[in-house]
Amino acid sequence: MTTPAKVLEIAKKEVDAKYKEGNNNDTKFGKWYGNNNQPWCAFFVSWVFHQSGSNTLAGIQTPKGFHNCDAGLAWYRKHGQLADVREALPGDVVFFNLDGIAGTSEHVGILVQNQPEKNQMVTYEGNTGTQGSANGDGCYKKIRPYAKVAGVGRVDWSKTK
């Protein structure tokens, strides 16, 4: 059975390896998903869960997971699986609004550690950079303020293999 620890272990390997994209968003995550050369933060999250043996993201948009952050967030909302940001748990899927356009999400990561006492969280993310953008060059461990969180998708671990 997949666990949050297994998901985080796989994501951490990509971060520790300092995975970087090729030209024009060329990534192993996009190739695996079947839609390479596109923004790939959701491909990364879907790939990590798939590699862990989890099928909990399967069917959000495709059998492999999701590729659009707004669609992923809407799926969690529709299925009653949004968690309060202060109650987010390791392995939860965190959607971010980094551009400030209300009601949207253009980036996603996997929660490593919640720090409610600091109003922030630590995440593993793909397609970000050292400056914190939603369209960067690699996989990074990030610290994000609660103010940038659009929603927290609570993973249903009972639906994992």
Side-chain angles (χ1 to χ4, degrees), residues 15-86:
V15 169
D16 288 351
K18 299 181 182 351
Y19 182 88
K20 299 286 187 191
E21 67 184 27
N23 290 335
N24 192 31
N25 284 321
D26 180 26
T27 68
K28 67 182 181 183
F29 313 110
K31 288 175 185 168
W32 165 82
Y33 195 85
N35 195 16
N36 199 22
N37 304 111
Q38 301 294 321
W40 52 276
C41 57
F43 298 160
F44 169 74
V45 171
S46 295
W47 181 88
V48 167
F49 274 81
H50 178 79
Q51 294 298 308
S52 75
S54 171
N55 61 354
T56 189
L57 303 186
I60 290 179
Q61 284 187 284
T62 74
K64 291 186 176 180
F66 67 102
H67 54 269
N68 177 282
C69 296
D70 276 338
L73 180 57
W75 185 92
Y76 278 102
R77 184 176 291 116
K78 178 182 175 183
H79 290 86
Q81 289 179 233
L82 287 181
D84 181 274
V85 68
R86 295 189 164 284

Side-chain angles (χ1 to χ4, degrees), residues 1-22:
M1 180 176 181
T2 301
T3 64
K6 180 70 174 168
V7 167
L8 293 172
E9 174 187 330
I10 292 165
K12 184 178 187 302
K13 283 182 184 176
E14 299 301 317
V15 169
D16 288 351
K18 299 181 182 351
Y19 182 88
K20 299 286 187 191
E21 67 184 27

